[in-house]
């Protein structure tokens, strides 16, 4: 028989030849005609995730009136595929959304893609050069933008595919791109409104400048790399590496005197732009020089000696050269002292005409020339190693220059003051709370925001330079939605009907459009502003979150959200930041589907061919991959990846991710799978005998596991409300893996083997109830596995299938939990003894307990089952046993003579092993107690050493225990 059904992906039809696996659609949910037949031998993530590809409507009860919840996904850049950081963000938000839906809340979750101005332009320019050996200047602006739009379409499809594969249940019809027509209109309207209110202005100001990109860049795009001493760094467009990490000293001669003033600098080439030398007013060494003049050896002019508190008398010589046009601190000093701005390095990194004979020379080539000339004039006073921070453009790897350029700025002081007040008064809450101090410190010292970029890709700034055609008045700047509106505004201001108009060539900083997203993503007739929660990584608290708050409040009069949840940054299992050059970057799809060593290596080589990795970095990456993943990455599935990400405290500053932990959670998935199969088989085996259940009449272990279930649900409720997902996942895993599967489920097997047992019905009700509840608690974290199993789980006759998040249950019995805990401790003690003596089931060794006989009597079947003992009694034989005490209970195990003899023969070897462990532990403790250990050892090394000591101590403890038993 063959017929067609519509696939879950909604893309095509597929033939179905297995009639029993056909699913019927009932109120938007899928049910199996034969759930038992649907569960294979083991959990296979690829199969489950393909069958349940889109799973966002199953665990979704009716919406409770009046409850709404909205979020936006921080839009990934279109520069490439998603990494684990994106996976963490999407997973955390998806967990929140699925939980809210299960609570009966009407939820909206908007996906987006960011155009990422500089980052995307850099990538596409590299691609253009690789494909056609062309730069963007070889083609016009329109053709270049068209190529970027092609890139956008390709990458947007990849990113959407990755998010869907991860299981992100986004409202895809609402997707936005930051350069969509509606977004572009919102950007223009916001700029015009801010400009007309006086908050946007144009001025010459010092900015971070990338000579390779020939554009201003934001602070987030500048990496401050520390070099401890003289270090050569490769710089784009320089023939050879440039040395940093040195302090060069040279002298300025005092005019009309034989005296000199020696200064020290890390950038000798900028001395051509020196307009003063500054000293501290309290530094007596130089007080006689203040107000006098020095002779500039190359510009052949005088420069003054000034005093200013910013000078550190302990740095260098205590006299500091002042170059306002090329240093942020000097720029402020220049404003205080009305010093000239003398720009000596241009946008391309060459010396300007101001430098006379040196004009046109590259900045770092000029360094060598100037040092040589200073030496010739006997003004050079030496060079020494000096620890420093080198500003490097994260996009182009070029050395950042500080240049004074005409740029557009937003005044931030008043908006920042309001943002501080909103947090202080509790109108805006930041979680975790310790980020409030960071918020206050940054906003208190905020600078005006430079929002213009000298790029071709981005939102063209809606500002127009306008002047009368007859030249009767100087040009003015107006902001408008288009040229016609600009002409009307300019005509009114200049009282002139005929205006020449020129739109600014620059584009807006990407963060400007992103800051508008909380209100720009909604059509006017469908507003969900303000959002209920802003969840994102703490690394963009200022660059994005603070700017959303400032602009949202300024442009709409309302906060864009009243709660901020910040998660940590992903690192590898060794606590290292993930980096392509280290070979420790892990793609989500490599974890979901698995990746061979060859595939990982091929990915690194592709990065090298694309210019992302240098040859040296490629070598490091390949070595790192071989060390971390010698056998590749095993297939884990999206659910295991999601669960692992949420098993860490997301509010920590860093989150150390271990692929092995992810694989362990994939095995956990199989544990749940097998438990569901067992439950279905159990119900099927006694279905005819199932009837109404009185929960008060259930057996001891039924009531125990229901009490544990209640405890798990309590933790889940608190954890979800507080966003402590690691507590929720830990509680679910503890319940399902250990309490339900390893303990309770095992205790039920006896009843199902004995068909006359009256406990079978109670076990069936308890099994199905526990699994139903636990799968619903698991659903936000493992949506596909939870849906797959829940819709196939047998329901106890007379019960209804529930799709809501579990609420507090009334089964808690802490005295019973304490009793069972005592019993389980004894079971562990018995297992430990049996393992030490190698006792297997075939030996049929008996166990005897001494203590509270009346307490243990009802639990003897439990002990026999879990400890795999043929019988457990209370009166031991007079000899042939070995003893151990657990709390107040004495355990006596009958040991066959031949096993006892084998045990004793191994004792000498054990003593040798103990001696080696003691010696090794002594060395470790001596090393860690050294004076300089905590200073010299890295945090990763200290963590590794502490773990090793704990392992050694545990091994010694085990040997001591065995030796104690041997003396009996």
């Amino acid at each position: 028989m063959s017929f067609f059904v519509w696939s879950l992906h909604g893309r095509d039809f597929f033939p179905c030849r297995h009639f029993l696996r056909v699913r019927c659609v009932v109120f938007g949910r899928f049910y199996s005609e034969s759930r038992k037949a649907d569960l294979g031998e083991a959990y296979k993530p690829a199969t489950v995730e393909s069958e349940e590809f889109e799973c966002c409507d199953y665990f979704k009860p009716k919406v409770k009136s009046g409850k709404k919840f909205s979020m936006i996904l921080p839009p990934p850049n279109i520069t490439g595929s998603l990494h684990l950081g994106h996976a963490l963000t999407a997973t955390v938000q998806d967990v929140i959304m699925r939980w809210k839906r299960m609570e009966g809340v009407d939820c909206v979750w908007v996906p987006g893609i960011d155009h990422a101005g500089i980052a995307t332009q850099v990538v596409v320019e590299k691609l253009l050069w690789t494909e056609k050996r062309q730069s963007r200047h070889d083609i016009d602006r329109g053709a270049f933008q068209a190529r970027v739009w092609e890139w956008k379409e390709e990458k947007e499809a990849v990113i959407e595919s990755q998010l869907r594969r991860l299981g992100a249940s986004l409202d895809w019809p609402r997707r936005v791109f930051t350069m969509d027509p509606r977004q572009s209109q919102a950007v223009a309207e916001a700029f015009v409104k801010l400009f007309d209110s006086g908050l946007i202005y144009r001025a010459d100001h010092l900015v971070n400048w990338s000579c390779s990109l020939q554009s201003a860049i934001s602070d987030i795009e500048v990496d401050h790399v520390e070099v401890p001493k003289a270090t050569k760094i490769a710089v784009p467009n320089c023939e050879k590496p440039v040395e940093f990490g040195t302090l060069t000293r040279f002298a300025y001669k005092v005019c009309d005197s034989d005296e000199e003033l020696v200064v020290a600098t890390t950038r000798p080439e900028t001395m051509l732009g020196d307009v003063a030398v500054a000293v501290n007013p309290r530094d007596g060494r130089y007080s006689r020089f203040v107000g006098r003049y020095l002779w500039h050896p190359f510009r052949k002019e005088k420069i003054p000696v000034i005093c200013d508190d910013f000078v550190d008398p302990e740095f260098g010589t205590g006299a500091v050269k002042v170059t306002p046009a090329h240093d942020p601190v000097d720029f402020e000093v220049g404003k205080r002292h009305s010093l000239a701005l003398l720009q000596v390095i241009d946008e391309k990194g060459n010396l300007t005409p101001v430098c006379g004979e040196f004009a046109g020379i590259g900045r770092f080539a000029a360094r060598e020339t100037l040092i040589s000339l200073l030496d010739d004039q006997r003004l050079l006073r030496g060079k020494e190693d000096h620890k420093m921070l080198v500003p490097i453009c994260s996009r182009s790897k070029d050395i950042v220059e500080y240049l004074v350029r005409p740029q557009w700025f937003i005044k931030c002081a008043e908006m920042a003051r309001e943002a501080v007040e909103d947090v202080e008064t509790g109108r805006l809450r930041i979680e975790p709370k310790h980020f409030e101090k960071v918020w206050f410190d940054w906003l208190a010292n905020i600078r005006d925001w430079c929002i213009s970029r000298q790029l071709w890709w981005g939102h063209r700034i809606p500002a127009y330079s306008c002047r009368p055609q007859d030249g009767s008045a100087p040009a003015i700047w107006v902001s408008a939605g288009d040229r016609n509106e600009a002409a009307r505004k300019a005509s009114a201001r200049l009282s002139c009907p005929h205006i020449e108009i020129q739109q600014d060539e620059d584009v807006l900083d990407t963060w400007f459009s992103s800051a508008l997203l909380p209100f720009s993503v909604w059509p006017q007739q469908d507003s969900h502003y303000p959002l209920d929660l802003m969840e994102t990584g703490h690394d963009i608290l200022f660059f994005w979150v603070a700017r959303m708050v400032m602009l949202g409040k300024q442009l709409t009069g309302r906060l864009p959200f009243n709660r901020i949840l910040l998660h940590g940054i992903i690192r590898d299992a060794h606590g290292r930041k993930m980096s392509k050059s280290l070979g420790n970057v892990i793609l989500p799809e490599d974890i979901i589907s698995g990746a061979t060593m060859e595939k990982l290596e091929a990915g690194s080589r592709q990065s090298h061919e694309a210019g992302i990795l240098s040859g040296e970095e490629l070598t490091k990456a390949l070595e790192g991959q071989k060390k971390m993943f010698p056998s590749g990455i095993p297939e884990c599935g999206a659910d295991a990846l999601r669960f692992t990400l949420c098993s860490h405290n997301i509010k920590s500053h860093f989150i150390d991710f271990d692929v092995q932990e992810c694989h362990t959670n994939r095995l956990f998935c199989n544990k749940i799978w097998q438990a569901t199969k067992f439950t279905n088989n159990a119900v099927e085996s006694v279905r005819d005998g199932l009837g109404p259940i009185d929960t008060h009449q259930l057996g001891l272990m039924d009531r125990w596991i229901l009490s544990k279930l209640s405890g798990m649900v309590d933790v889940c409720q608190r954890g979800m409300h507080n966003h402590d997902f690691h507590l929720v996942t830990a509680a679910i895993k503890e319940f399902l893996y250990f309490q339900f599967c390893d303990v309770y489920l095992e205790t039920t097997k006896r009843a199902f083997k004995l068909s006359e047992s009256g406990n079978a019905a109670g076990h069936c009700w308890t099994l199905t109830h526990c699994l139903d509840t636990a799968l619903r608690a698991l659903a936000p974290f493992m949506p596909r596995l939870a849906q797959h199993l829940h819709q196939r789980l047998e329901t106890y006759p007379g019960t209804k299938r529930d799709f809501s998040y579990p609420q507090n249950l009334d089964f808690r019995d802490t005295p019973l939990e304490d009793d069972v805990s005592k019993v389980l401790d004894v079971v562990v003690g018995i297992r430990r003894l049996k393992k030490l003596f190698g006792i297997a089931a075939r030996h049929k060794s008996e166990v005897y307990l001494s203590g509270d006989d009346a307490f243990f009597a009802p639990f003897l079947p439990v002990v026999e089952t879990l400890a795999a003992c043929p019988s457990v009694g209370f009166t031991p034989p007079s000899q042939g046993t070995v003893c151990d005490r657990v709390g107040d209970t004495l355990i006596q195990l009958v040991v066959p003579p031949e096993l006892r003899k084998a045990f004793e023969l191994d004792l000498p070897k054990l003593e040798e092993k103990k001696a080696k462990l003691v010696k090794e532990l002594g060395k470790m403790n001596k090393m860690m107690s050294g004076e300089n250990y905590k200073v010299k050892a890295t945090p990763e090394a200290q963590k590794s050493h502490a773990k090793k000591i704990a392992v050694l101590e545990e091994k010694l403890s085990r040997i001591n225990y065995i030796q104690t038993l041997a003396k009996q």
Side-chain angles (χ1 to χ4, degrees):
M1 176 180 234
S2 178
F3 54 95
F4 288 86
V5 295
W6 185 245
S7 80
L8 289 178
H9 298 267
R11 294 191 179 93
D12 50 16
F13 287 92
F14 63 91
C16 179
R17 295 181 173 82
H18 303 284
F19 182 78
L20 289 180
R21 294 185 58 135
V22 175
R23 298 178 189 173
C24 309
V25 180
V26 183
F27 300 116
R29 299 189 177 93
F30 295 98
Y31 292 95
S32 171
E33 291 295 330
S34 176
R35 303 184 189 97
K36 179 180 171 183
D38 261 344
L39 290 180
E41 290 186 4
Y43 166 67
K44 295 180 180 178
T47 302
V48 171
E49 290 169 12
S50 64
E51 291 185 7
E52 316 294 350
F53 191 78
E54 300 285 1
C55 57
C56 56
D57 292 328
Y58 181 77
F59 290 107
K60 193 174 179 183
K62 290 183 179 180
V63 172
K64 297 175 183 177
S65 60
K67 291 189 175 182
K68 292 187 176 182
F69 188 84
S70 59
M71 276 197 307
I72 59 173
L73 181 71
N77 294 345
I78 57 167
T79 48
S81 57
L82 302 186
H83 52 64
L84 272 185
H86 294 111
L88 175 63
T89 304
T91 297
V92 169
Q93 290 204 359
D94 190 58
V95 165
I96 295 171
M97 275 296 170
R98 290 180 182 274
W99 167 58
K100 288 289 184 181
R101 292 190 196 109
M102 293 179 75
E103 293 269 288
V105 178
D106 183 13
C107 295
V108 176
W109 186 22
V110 180
I113 299 289
D114 195 283
H115 67 278
I118 287 181
T120 303
Q121 179 159 315
V122 169
V123 171
V124 177
E125 282 197 84
K126 286 182 179 179
L127 183 66
L128 190 64
W129 182 256
T130 301
E131 291 177 343
K132 300 181 179 180
R133 285 294 184 267
Q134 290 180 325
S135 72
R136 63 184 165 106
H137 299 287
D138 294 325
I139 59 177
D140 62 30
R141 186 168 185 158
F144 179 76
Q145 289 176 337
R147 184 64 185 89
V148 182
W149 276 102
E150 290 176 12
W151 171 272
K152 175 261 180 185
E153 294 299 325
E154 296 168 10
K155 294 304 174 183
E156 184 177 42
V158 171
I159 290 170
E160 180 177 330
S161 173
Q162 286 183 294
L163 288 171
R164 286 180 182 272
R165 194 171 184 194
L166 187 65
S169 54
L170 288 146
D171 296 310
W172 293 106
R174 293 180 181 269
R175 67 169 67 85
V176 296
F177 175 54
T178 49
M179 286 183 66
D180 284 339
R182 191 171 74 220
Q183 299 302 309
S184 297
Q185 182 182 354
V187 168
E189 290 176 359
F191 187 96
V192 172
K193 187 173 181 179
L194 293 169
F195 181 92
D196 290 345
S197 64
L199 287 175
I200 287 182
Y201 66 94
R202 183 177 174 85
D204 287 347
H205 202 282
L206 205 68
V207 296
N208 304 314
W209 186 268
S210 169
C211 296
S212 291
L213 300 175
Q214 293 185 42
S215 173
I217 59 176
S218 67
D219 291 340
I220 197 175
E221 290 156 331
V222 178
D223 295 330
H224 294 277
V225 178
E226 182 178 290
V227 291
K229 58 182 181 179
T231 305
K232 292 187 180 295
I233 298 176
V235 179
N237 302 318
C238 287
E239 293 181 359
K240 57 184 179 179
V242 179
E243 187 176 73
F244 291 88
T246 60
L247 203 60
T248 301
R249 299 172 188 266
F250 68 92
Y252 275 118
K253 293 293 184 181
V254 180
C255 293
D256 304 321
S257 170
D258 293 332
E259 294 180 284
E260 65 181 27
L261 209 55
V262 177
V263 297
T265 180
T266 59
R267 293 290 303 270
E269 63 274 17
T270 63
M271 65 89 62
L272 292 172
D274 290 354
V275 293
V277 170
V279 298
N280 192 290
R282 292 176 295 281
D283 192 341
R285 294 175 297 171
Y286 300 118
S287 57
R288 70 182 187 279
F289 293 107
V290 176
R292 299 172 69 181
Y293 288 88
L294 308 174
W295 183 251
H296 197 291
F298 301 117
R299 295 209 314 269
K300 309 298 183 185
E301 62 185 40
K302 300 177 181 178
I303 60 173
V305 179
I306 61 174
C307 59
D308 197 290
D309 289 328
F310 92 95
V311 179
D312 178 4
E314 303 300 321
F315 175 78
T317 65
V320 179
K321 60 191 283 298
V322 181
T323 320
H326 295 284
D327 182 89
V329 175
D330 291 3
F331 182 78
E332 297 301 324
V333 174
K335 287 198 293 186
R336 287 197 294 271
H337 295 270
S338 301
L339 299 174
L341 288 170
L342 202 62
Q343 183 173 317
V344 295
I345 299 175
D346 66 16
E347 295 88 344
K348 294 182 179 180
N350 299 323
L351 298 193
T352 66
V354 171
C355 302
E357 61 182 297
F358 305 109
I361 300 176
R363 51 189 166 153
F364 297 118
R367 175 187 294 185
E368 297 180 4
T369 300
L370 290 172
I371 289 176
S372 176
L373 291 173
L374 286 169
D375 193 22
D376 291 343
Q377 297 186 37
R378 298 184 180 180
L379 296 175
L380 191 64
R381 296 294 179 265
K383 185 174 74 170
E384 62 192 52
D385 285 347
H386 173 67
K387 184 168 71 173
M388 65 179 290
L389 294 175
V390 181
I392 296 178
C393 173
S394 63
R395 308 298 183 188
S396 63
K397 306 305 178 186
D398 199 358
I399 303 300
V400 171
E401 291 295 338
Y402 300 105
L403 301 184
V404 177
R405 303 291 301 154
Q407 302 285 342
W408 292 98
F409 293 87
I410 297 181
K411 298 176 183 177
C412 294
E414 182 57 28
M415 291 190 292
R417 186 194 63 76
E418 289 188 23
V420 167
E421 187 179 290
D422 286 328
V423 173
E424 288 177 336
T425 58
R427 291 191 294 268
L428 177 63
R429 290 184 294 163
I430 300 177
E431 184 183 354
K433 195 174 178 61
H434 64 257
F435 277 106
E436 287 185 3
K437 184 179 184 304
V438 185
W439 179 270
F440 297 146
D441 290 346
W442 188 78
L443 290 174
N445 298 288
I446 196 170
R447 295 184 297 174
D448 287 354
W449 175 15
C450 175
I451 57 172
S452 48
R453 299 290 181 267
Q454 292 65 50
L455 303 171
W456 284 2
W457 174 245
H459 293 103
R460 185 91 171 263
I461 292 179
Y464 299 83
S465 176
C466 304
R467 66 179 179 180
Q469 288 183 354
D470 59 10
S472 58
I476 62 170
W477 284 98
V478 300
S479 180
D482 55 40
R483 293 178 65 87
N484 292 334
E485 184 186 348
R488 288 194 297 272
K489 283 187 173 183
S491 293
R493 286 179 56 187
L494 295 171
S495 300
C496 178
H498 303 294
I499 303 293
E500 288 184 2
I501 299 176
Q502 180 65 46
Q503 185 176 1
D504 195 311
E505 291 289 328
D506 292 352
V507 300
L508 285 164
D509 179 13
T510 301
W511 295 107
F512 184 88
S513 57
S514 298
L516 309 180
L517 282 174
F519 55 88
S520 66
V521 297
W522 312 108
Q524 292 183 356
Q525 70 276 15
D526 184 24
S527 176
H528 286 73
Y529 185 84
L531 303 173
D532 291 277
L533 178 70
M534 173 45 60
E535 193 284 330
T536 190
H538 67 70
D539 55 327
I540 54 174
L541 176 61
F542 311 124
F543 304 109
W544 191 40
V545 181
R547 286 166 175 170
M548 282 190 286
V549 170
M550 291 191 294
L551 290 189
K553 191 82 174 286
Q554 181 65 36
L555 293 168
T556 71
R558 291 188 292 173
L559 283 167
F561 32 78
N562 55 33
R563 192 172 184 181
I564 301 166
L565 173 61
L566 302 171
H567 65 247
I569 307 304
I570 294 277
R571 301 191 301 187
D572 70 12
H574 303 287
R576 302 175 302 173
K577 181 180 178 181
M578 288 198 174
S579 165
K580 289 186 176 70
S581 64
L582 291 175
N584 62 349
V585 170
I586 311 172
L587 298 178
E589 53 266 35
D590 287 343
I591 298 172
I592 294 171
S593 300
T596 62
M597 190 65 234
E598 291 74 19
K599 182 183 177 183
L600 295 173
E601 182 178 318
S604 295
R605 294 193 183 280
Q606 285 177 1
S607 295
H608 172 60
E609 291 168 5
I612 297 173
L613 292 181
S614 66
E616 183 180 351
E617 288 173 330
L618 174 63
T619 302
K620 288 182 180 178
L622 296 179
E623 290 173 354
Q625 286 171 349
K626 288 177 182 177
K627 186 176 180 180
M628 289 183 66
F629 315 114
S631 302
I633 299 175
E635 177 192 17
C636 298
D639 279 348
L641 170 58
R642 291 165 58 105
F643 193 86
T644 304
L645 289 169
C646 292
S647 295
H648 296 266
N649 184 353
I650 65 164
K651 300 175 192 174
S652 298
H653 208 75
F654 295 105
I655 297 171
D656 296 343
F657 183 87
D658 189 351
V659 170
Q660 185 54 49
E661 183 185 356
C662 200
H663 186 248
T664 299
N665 284 325
R666 181 243 188 272
L667 300 178
F668 171 50
C669 293
N670 188 60
K671 191 89 168 179
I672 306 169
W673 183 277
Q674 300 301 335
T676 306
K677 281 187 65 177
F678 173 86
T679 299
N680 284 350
N681 288 332
V683 173
E684 190 65 29
S685 69
V686 295
R687 181 177 294 279
D688 293 341
L690 301 181
I693 291 293
D694 181 355
T695 56
H696 298 290
Q697 300 300 316
L698 291 170
L700 280 172
M701 295 307 289
D702 294 323
R703 287 187 280 119
W704 170 77
I705 195 63
L706 288 170
S707 180
K708 286 295 186 182
L709 179 69
S710 293
M712 182 205 75
V713 170
D714 290 345
V715 173
C716 289
Q717 280 289 338
R718 289 194 302 272
M720 297 302 281
H721 280 283
N722 296 327
H723 301 135
D724 291 326
F725 302 129
H726 63 299
L727 301 182
V728 180
T729 54
I732 293 173
K733 193 169 185 177
E734 173 71 17
F735 175 79
L736 277 173
Y737 202 112
F738 302 106
Q739 296 162 356
F740 184 76
C741 291
D742 286 356
V743 177
Y744 173 71
L745 189 145
E746 293 297 322
T747 65
T748 67
K749 291 180 179 179
R750 178 183 298 217
F752 293 117
K753 286 180 181 178
L754 305 174
S755 56
E756 72 277 10
S757 172
N759 291 327
H763 290 339
C764 284
W765 186 91
T766 305
L767 284 166
T768 55
H769 186 74
C770 286
L771 268 180
D772 165 74
T773 305
L775 287 172
R776 285 186 284 123
L778 184 67
F781 304 94
M782 293 185 171
R784 287 166 176 148
L785 177 67
Q787 173 172 317
H788 196 84
L789 296 181
H790 190 267
Q791 64 189 356
R792 291 164 175 77
L793 176 67
E794 296 284 358
T795 56
Y796 193 88
T799 60
K800 293 182 179 180
R801 198 175 294 271
D802 193 356
F803 301 97
S804 62
Y805 198 79
Q807 302 299 313
N808 295 335
L809 304 175
D810 191 23
F811 294 122
R812 204 68 196 267
D813 186 343
T814 49
L816 177 59
E817 288 186 29
D818 293 339
D819 289 347
V820 174
S821 179
K822 181 178 178 180
V823 172
L824 295 179
D825 286 344
V826 169
V827 169
V828 171
I830 296 171
R831 288 175 173 174
R832 184 168 58 234
L833 281 175
K834 291 178 67 177
K835 183 178 180 181
L836 284 175
F837 288 94
I839 295 175
R842 68 177 184 276
H843 295 110
K844 300 184 184 299
S845 292
E846 298 172 335
V847 172
Y848 298 90
L849 305 178
S850 298
D852 190 345
D853 295 359
F855 168 81
F856 275 103
F859 291 106
L860 289 184
V862 174
V863 176
E864 289 172 355
T865 299
L866 297 179
C869 300
S871 66
V872 176
F874 296 110
T875 306
S878 58
Q879 58 183 2
T881 65
V882 64
C883 305
D884 191 14
R885 183 171 293 278
V886 176
D888 297 329
T889 305
L890 182 68
I891 302 171
Q892 293 180 268
L893 174 70
V894 176
V895 180
E898 67 275 15
L899 296 182
R900 181 65 184 250
K901 185 176 180 180
F903 172 77
E904 291 171 349
L905 288 174
D906 283 338
L907 291 176
K909 295 179 182 178
L910 207 61
E911 186 62 36
E912 293 177 9
K913 187 175 182 180
K914 180 179 178 179
K916 290 181 180 178
L917 289 172
V918 169
K919 185 177 180 181
E920 190 175 356
L921 184 62
K923 286 182 179 179
M924 292 294 298
N925 283 324
K926 184 178 180 181
M927 176 186 70
M928 293 183 72
S929 61
E931 279 187 28
N932 299 321
Y933 173 76
K934 289 192 175 181
V935 176
K936 292 184 177 180
T938 65
E940 292 79 13
Q942 292 183 43
K943 184 177 177 181
S944 175
H945 294 157
K947 187 176 180 180
K948 188 173 183 179
I949 283 181
V951 170
L952 291 171
E953 290 175 340
E954 196 275 332
K955 287 181 178 178
L956 278 172
S957 176
R958 195 183 312 143
I959 291 175
N960 289 332
Y961 168 71
I962 294 172
Q963 290 177 329
T964 301
L965 290 177
K967 295 175 183 178
Q968 296 181 16

